[in-house]
Amino acid sequence: VPEFSFDALRRHPDVEAENLFASDAADRLLLDEAAPALECAIGHPGRVAVIGDDYGALTLAAAAVLGLDGIRVHQDPLSGERALAANALALGGEALAGRYRSLPLSQELLAGATVVIMRLPRSLAQLDDQARAVAAWADPSVVVYAAGRLKHMTTAMNEVLARSFGTVGATRARQKSRVLVASSPKPGVEPPTPIREFNPELGLTVCATGGVFAGTRLDIGTRLLLAQLDDMKPDARTAVDLGCGTGLLAASLARARPSLEVIATDQSAAAVESAGLTMRANALEVQVVRDDALSGFDAGSADLIVLNPPFHVGSTVHAGIALKLFEAAGRVLAPGGELWTVFNSHLSYRAALQRGVGPSRQVDRNAKFTVMVSTKR
Ligand SMILES: C[S@@+](CC[C@H](N)C(=O)[O-])C[C@H]1O[C@@H](n2cnc3c(N)ncnc32)[C@H](O)[C@@H]1O
């Protein structure tokens, strides 16, 4: 397996742009800090697990540069998983691709792992789930190296790690990045458990794992979109909740219109798990699919799409992800089909909606959010 250059990594199929990168200084610091531990795992396949690798920098450096084999990897977004697979094939062919396996955040990911290298997630609830998973399922001798950019790190992250590990420290910062090091998993730490909460406003039980948008709460943008439910293409037969999170939009649609076939989809593993649990908790027949921007949906196959788009690509605020989802909706809507979307009022998405879908009309607006409906020509 040849060595590779970090610069050769691509983000595709995630949004690519001049100011968005496939790896950063925190990846390189993490690999340097964890190198002695990773080297001890050479020749012992299955000792290393990777969590939250953005586009494969960590996994592929460990495989190609250090020669590690049997690496187990969990990435929440499907686009990251697909980018890792594409980067592995492009940079080292089947030989490199065969050195790691992608898995859910599970016992299978972590059993027997003695070194875990990870990027710190933005959400503390997600970090708590990941820390619990490692403490509950990895080898008791496990050492966790968790890296981040200083601007995204808070001392609350050390506190969350300290709930699951007896020892938590930090390395010296380099190039605006730092690595937290955790070891001595606390005995009796429970593996991550989704939260269930009844929302009286919606009359729905909402289920959420740590990594999902808004937890069990109803987002205020989502609330504004839900107020329009009755006007959303009343003759629709098929509807898609794109970027479903916990599945509140899909669940509300399915309950209000029992004859509508509703599919909820998200690229986040945490979201798909949460939405599946939400549907079961409310006895609703909604199919939940992990997919990146409707890539597996046929063109013209939906009459109605509802979308509260993210405005972050990873930790960067970027419009590219919303535009990618508008284009996806435009492809999957049947002629006459409608995309109903809500977004921050300061974002001027009308032109992008007209381009990606078709004629677009503002339906509601307050100081913070705007709701628009776009009709596929
Ligand atoms: C603002 S949240 C909305 C969640 C939920 N619909 C709600 O209203 O509470 C946006 C969701 O889009 C998902 N998402 C981001 N990129 C995506 C992609 N490329 N394909 C599918 N879903 C995506 C995120 O994982 C997140 O769950």
Side-chain angles (χ1 to χ4, degrees):
V1 175
E3 286 203 11
F4 76 95
S5 140
F6 287 103
D7 295 336
L9 294 169
R10 286 195 54 190
R11 303 165 53 98
H12 182 79
D14 200 358
V15 179
E16 298 197 295
E18 233 168 63
N19 60 340
L20 296 174
F21 303 96
S23 73
D24 62 15
D27 289 327
R28 291 185 285 276
L29 177 64
L30 174 55
L31 288 161
D32 285 346
E33 293 290 349
L38 291 170
E39 279 161 10
C40 289
I42 295 172
H44 304 282
R47 295 240 178 122
V48 175
V50 182
I51 297 176
D53 196 2
D54 287 333
Y55 304 98
L58 302 174
T59 308
L60 297 180
V65 182
L66 294 172
L68 286 162
D69 213 344
I71 303 169
R72 288 169 289 171
V73 186
H74 173 68
Q75 295 157 283
D76 183 69
L78 186 60
S79 55
E81 210 175 293
R82 289 184 172 166
L84 163 59
N87 282 324
L89 282 178
L91 303 178
E94 297 289 347
L96 186 54
R99 292 192 167 212
Y100 77 89
R101 260 181 326 140
S102 289
L103 291 164
L105 186 68
S106 58
Q107 190 158 15
E108 197 185 353
L109 173 79
L110 289 156
T114 55
V115 186
V116 174
I117 53 175
M118 61 184 276
R119 287 300 299 255
L120 288 160
R122 276 193 308 147
S123 135
L124 291 177
Q126 187 167 18
L127 179 60
D128 189 49
D129 270 9
Q130 294 173 348
R132 284 173 178 285
V134 177
W137 292 323
D139 191 89
S141 70
V142 71
V143 183
V144 181
Y145 297 84
R149 304 285 287 159
L150 293 179
K151 62 181 173 190
H152 301 135
M153 291 174 74
T154 62
T155 51
M157 291 177 166
N158 302 50
E159 288 156 22
V160 168
L161 287 171
R163 285 186 214 145
S164 294
F165 293 92
T167 310
V168 178
T171 67
R172 210 182 285 194
R174 185 180 87 190
Q175 292 182 296
K176 300 180 179 163
S177 309
R178 195 190 292 282
V179 177
L180 303 182
V181 184
S183 57
S184 309
K186 290 186 173 168
V189 169
E190 293 288 332
T193 317
I195 302 172
R196 270 171 76 103
E197 205 172 322
F198 183 71
N199 181 312
E201 180 182 345
L202 298 174
L204 288 169
T205 298
V206 189
C207 301
T209 62
V212 70
F213 170 79
T216 53
R217 292 184 311 281
L218 171 62
D219 174 63
I220 44 175
T222 308
R223 177 184 283 131
L224 211 62
L225 192 53
L226 275 172
Q228 304 297 331
L229 210 65
D230 292 345
D231 290 336
M232 294 178 180
K233 191 138 176 93
D235 61 345
R237 284 180 301 175
T238 50
V240 176
D241 178 356
L242 172 55
C244 63
T246 53
L248 288 181
L249 288 163
S252 303
L253 270 171
R255 197 189 41 188
R257 304 194 202 172
S259 61
L260 189 65
E261 182 194 339
V262 183
I263 304 178
T265 178
D266 202 297
Q267 71 155 337
S268 154
V272 167
E273 183 185 352
S274 306
L277 293 167
T278 297
M279 300 315 153
R280 224 172 306 150
N282 297 284
L284 292 166
E285 269 186 42
V286 171
Q287 198 189 334
V288 183
V289 182
R290 185 167 180 235
D291 192 7
D292 172 20
L294 304 174
S295 69
F297 288 62
D298 290 337
S301 60
D303 303 318
L304 170 63
I305 298 181
V306 288
L307 168 66
N308 176 358
F311 49 93
H312 281 98
V313 176
S315 49
T316 314
V317 175
H318 198 277
I321 183 61
L323 306 190
K324 174 175 162 173
L325 297 177
F326 297 162
E327 276 169 24
R331 185 182 67 78
V332 169
L333 279 173
E338 293 175 355
L339 169 68
W340 285 75
T341 186
V342 62
F343 47 85
N344 277 332
S345 293
H346 72 267
L347 297 164
S348 41
Y349 280 155
R350 184 192 291 266
L353 285 164
Q354 308 244 131
R355 248 193 338 268
V357 183
S360 301
R361 173 171 65 84
Q362 181 180 307
V363 178
D364 195 6
R365 185 187 176 98
N366 62 25
K368 270 202 103 168
F369 290 101
T370 297
V371 175
M372 290 198 94
V373 55
S374 308
T375 306
K376 168 87 175 183
R377 276 201 199 84

